[in-house]
């Protein structure tokens, strides 16, 4: 069911069970669905049918990012990730954007590319034209393979043919079959079509088909997000909103100019994207590959986001990248928690899911640049690191906050220091 309000004030102060109850109330989770979240969610037998040589399960934290408004609708965002600060940062940035309308997103459509690569072609440019002449036959043959997809308005839509001259194999002819995969990620559908067409491509070109598989550079399947924030929303106790806004723009420009910085900058974007992709059972490796290839499409690796100031002085951020995610098939359909994630999100199409994901990626980037342009990353990370250290040191729950505060104030976060401080805490409480 749609979430009426994604604000969950003080969520971080609640116990895990209290958080679960708050989310369940907002999203209409049943008792059995709540048990899925607390009991691991994936039966070993199901896992055994998903991949090979299964010997067990590896749980990761399942969290909820709150406060999001995307296209004027409220969302609670499921995120599966092990790194601290990600969920809190995304939630806080979403909170800052609420008064200015949240995130506006769009989607270019669910088009995937199946590639067929041909070598040993004597007349590659002649072969290119001959392949284009046979477009209708290729589309008809491909669409015979998936009548269900075609009946839903999808299927093979078009072909493109490229000649790749700069290759150690000599000229390569690459046929792209453009397929509308609707609400699926689409890998199986497009791979099957590519394999079926290979023999006909060889016959027309006189060459040898060596590869027939989808491309994860899904640049026909772009998700876009935009956010506009007045400087006042960005101000902190130490820094004005103007200072923060200018710092974010400056940090973006450095990332766009320096591939070494852009790599870390874009990793921060993926900090927000990957956890939702994982939570919904989608292929996060494909999303990562497509995003980084898209960042280098100009011939130089650059920032995936842009940050600038509009004529009113508002900070405006945008993000555009390939987003090949689905809500049917694969692990999305197999994994119980993937289905539960889709229920929490309340999404009905893959297009909606793609747009949610890119909005969270933009929020995550804004959070990172805001910190970098003001206090730096270590101040916030130190407390999170300290909380991990006290657990490693075996500090009892009742003493953890005191030990964490003491380590952070001294800027000395170590296991042996945590144990030493715990001894002091014991002495104070005896």
């Amino acid at each position: 069911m749609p979430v009426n309000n994604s604000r969950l004030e003080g969520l971080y102060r609640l116990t895990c069970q209290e958080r679960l109850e708050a989310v369940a109330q907002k999203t209409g989770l049943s008792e059995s669905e709540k048990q899925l979240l607390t009991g691991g969610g994936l039966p070993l037998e199901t896992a055994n049918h998903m991949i090979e040589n299964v010997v067990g399960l590896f749980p990761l934290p399942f969290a909820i990012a709150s406060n999001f408004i995307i296209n004027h609708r409220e969302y609670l965002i499921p995120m599966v990730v092990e790194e601290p600060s990600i969920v809190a940062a995304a939630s806080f940035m979403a909170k800052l954007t609420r008064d200015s309308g949240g995130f506006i997103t769009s989607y270019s459509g669910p088009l995937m590319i199946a590639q067929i690569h041909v070598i040993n072609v004597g007349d590659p440019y002649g072969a290119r034209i001959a392949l284009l002449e046979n477009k209708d036959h290729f589309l008809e043959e491909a669409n015979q393979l998936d009548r269900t997809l075609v009946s839903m308005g999808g299927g093979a839509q078009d072909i493109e043919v490229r000649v790749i001259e700069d290759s150690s194999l000599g000229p390569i002819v690459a046929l792209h079959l453009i397929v509308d995969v609707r609400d699926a990620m689409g890998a199986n559908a497009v791979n099957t079509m590519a394999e079926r067409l290979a023999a006909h491509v060889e016959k027309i070109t006189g060459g040898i088909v060596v590869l027939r598989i989808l491309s994860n550079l899904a640049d026909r399947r772009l998700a876009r997000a935009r956010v506009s924030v007045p400087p006042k929303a960005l101000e902190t106790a130490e820094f004005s909103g103007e200072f923060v806004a200018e710092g974010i723009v400056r940090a973006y420009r450095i990332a766009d100019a320096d591939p070494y910085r852009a790599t870390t900058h874009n990793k921060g974007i993926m900090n927000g994207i990957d956890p939702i992709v994982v939570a919904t059972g989608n292929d996060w490796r494909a999303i990562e590959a497509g995003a980084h290839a898209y960042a280098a499409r100009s011939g130089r690796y650059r920032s995936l986001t842009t940050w600038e100031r509009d004529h009113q002085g508002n900070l405006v951020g945008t993000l555009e990248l390939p987003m090949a995610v689905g809500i049917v098939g694969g692990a999305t359909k197999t994994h119980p928690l993937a289905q539960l994630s889709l229920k929490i999100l309340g999404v009905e199409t893959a297009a909606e899911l793609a747009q949610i994901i890119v909005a969270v990626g933009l929020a995550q980037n804004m959070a990172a640049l805001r910190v970098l342009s003001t206090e730096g990353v270590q101040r916030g990370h130190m407390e999170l690191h300290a909380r991990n250290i006290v657990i490693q040191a075996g500090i009892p729950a009742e003493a953890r906050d005191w030990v964490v505060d003491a380590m952070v104030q001294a800027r000395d976060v170590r296991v042996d220091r945590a144990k030493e401080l715990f001894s002091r805490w014991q002495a104070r409480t005896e």
Side-chain angles (χ1 to χ4, degrees):
M1 68 182 197
V3 175
N4 292 326
N5 191 327
S6 60
R7 287 284 290 126
L8 287 169
E9 191 117 20
L11 189 63
Y12 68 97
R13 297 191 190 97
L14 305 179
T15 66
C16 289
Q17 187 60 40
E18 288 169 340
R19 290 182 198 129
L20 177 57
E21 293 298 334
V23 171
Q25 187 175 8
K26 290 269 190 180
T27 59
L29 300 186
S30 66
E31 287 300 319
S32 61
E33 287 170 331
K34 288 190 288 184
Q35 289 173 11
L36 273 178
L37 282 167
T38 56
L42 181 64
L44 186 61
E45 187 58 29
T46 302
N48 190 45
H49 289 290
M50 291 174 69
I51 63 169
E52 306 79 22
N53 300 344
V54 170
V55 297
L57 304 173
F58 186 93
L60 285 169
F62 186 112
I64 297 293
S66 58
N67 304 325
F68 274 88
I69 297 177
I70 303 169
N71 292 338
H72 312 295
R73 178 178 163 185
E74 304 268 355
Y75 288 96
L76 292 174
I77 312 292
M79 302 181 79
V80 173
V81 66
E82 85 295 343
E83 184 177 331
S85 84
I86 288 174
V87 178
S91 299
F92 185 52
M93 288 303 103
K95 181 181 177 182
L96 292 187
T97 68
R98 289 179 68 84
D99 288 344
S100 53
F103 298 85
I104 302 300
T105 64
S106 61
Y107 187 61
S108 67
L111 299 179
M112 293 294 286
I113 298 170
Q115 289 189 292
I116 301 174
H117 287 96
V118 195
I119 62 171
N120 294 355
V121 179
D123 58 337
Y125 288 96
R128 174 181 177 272
I129 297 302
L131 289 170
L132 290 171
E133 289 167 358
N134 281 267
K135 167 185 166 179
D136 291 343
H137 178 82
F138 284 131
L139 297 182
E140 181 181 355
E141 188 174 359
N143 284 329
Q144 287 177 357
L145 296 172
D146 199 330
R147 291 296 186 188
T148 301
L149 182 61
V150 173
S151 70
M152 297 172 66
Q157 306 287 313
D158 199 0
I159 67 168
E160 298 172 340
V161 185
R162 300 159 51 227
V163 176
I164 305 168
E165 293 184 334
D166 186 15
S167 160
S168 60
L169 296 173
I172 299 171
V173 177
L175 183 146
H176 288 189
L177 180 69
I178 312 300
V179 185
D180 183 332
V181 296
R182 300 282 84 189
D183 285 323
M185 185 274 181
N188 289 334
V190 300
N191 288 344
T192 300
M193 290 178 181
E195 291 178 0
R196 173 63 69 88
L197 299 184
H200 191 202
V201 170
E202 283 190 339
K203 183 177 179 181
I204 292 171
T205 63
I208 301 171
V209 169
V210 290
L211 296 175
R212 42 204 179 277
I213 191 172
L214 89 162
S215 171
N216 287 125
L217 179 51
D219 58 4
R220 297 295 195 92
R221 198 174 186 178
L222 299 174
R224 307 179 184 95
R226 176 174 55 86
V227 69
S228 177
V229 186
K232 184 171 177 55
L234 300 168
E235 66 185 23
T236 71
E238 296 94 356
F239 301 96
S240 71
E242 280 291 330
F243 180 90
V244 176
E246 282 302 307
I248 289 174
V249 172
R250 184 170 54 245
Y252 147 67
R253 288 177 176 167
I254 292 171
D256 202 45
D258 177 10
Y260 284 85
R261 172 62 200 137
T263 302
T264 310
H265 176 98
N266 289 342
K267 186 269 182 184
I269 296 169
M270 305 313 290
N271 277 348
I273 287 174
D274 288 348
I276 315 170
V277 179
V278 173
T280 56
N282 276 284
D283 187 347
W284 61 268
R285 298 159 306 279
I287 298 301
E288 282 274 351
H292 296 298
Y294 197 69
R297 68 192 185 281
S298 68
R300 177 170 58 82
Y301 189 82
R302 305 176 66 175
S303 167
L304 283 164
T305 54
T306 66
W307 292 96
E308 53 198 347
R309 307 289 295 276
D310 67 14
H311 66 280
Q312 295 176 323
N314 296 318
L315 178 70
V316 178
T318 66
L319 173 60
E320 176 185 84
L321 75 165
M323 191 54 61
V325 292
I327 62 170
V328 296
T332 301
K333 212 62 172 171
T334 305
H335 201 305
L337 286 183
Q339 287 294 296
L340 191 58
S341 294
L342 294 176
K343 178 174 180 177
I344 291 170
L345 285 167
V347 297
E348 296 182 357
T349 65
E352 185 182 2
L353 176 59
Q355 291 172 78
I356 291 168
I357 293 170
V358 78
V360 179
L362 183 57
Q364 202 75 44
N365 185 234
M366 181 164 66
L369 298 187
R370 179 177 178 270
V371 171
L372 282 172
S373 63
T374 55
E375 63 193 27
V377 296
Q378 283 307 99
R379 180 173 170 181
H381 282 191
M382 186 172 289
E383 181 176 348
L384 294 164
H385 180 51
R387 293 196 175 279
N388 283 328
I389 288 295
V390 295
I391 295 172
Q392 293 176 36
I395 308 301
E398 62 271 18
R400 286 175 187 168
D401 286 346
W402 188 89
V403 173
V404 165
D405 288 343
M407 284 196 295
V408 171
Q409 287 179 18
R411 304 183 71 83
D412 186 7
V413 181
R414 295 176 287 114
V415 170
D416 57 339
R417 178 63 171 161
K419 291 178 178 178
E420 177 188 330
L421 288 167
F422 176 56
S423 297
R424 290 190 194 177
W425 179 87
Q426 286 180 308
R428 288 164 54 98
T429 55
E430 286 176 355

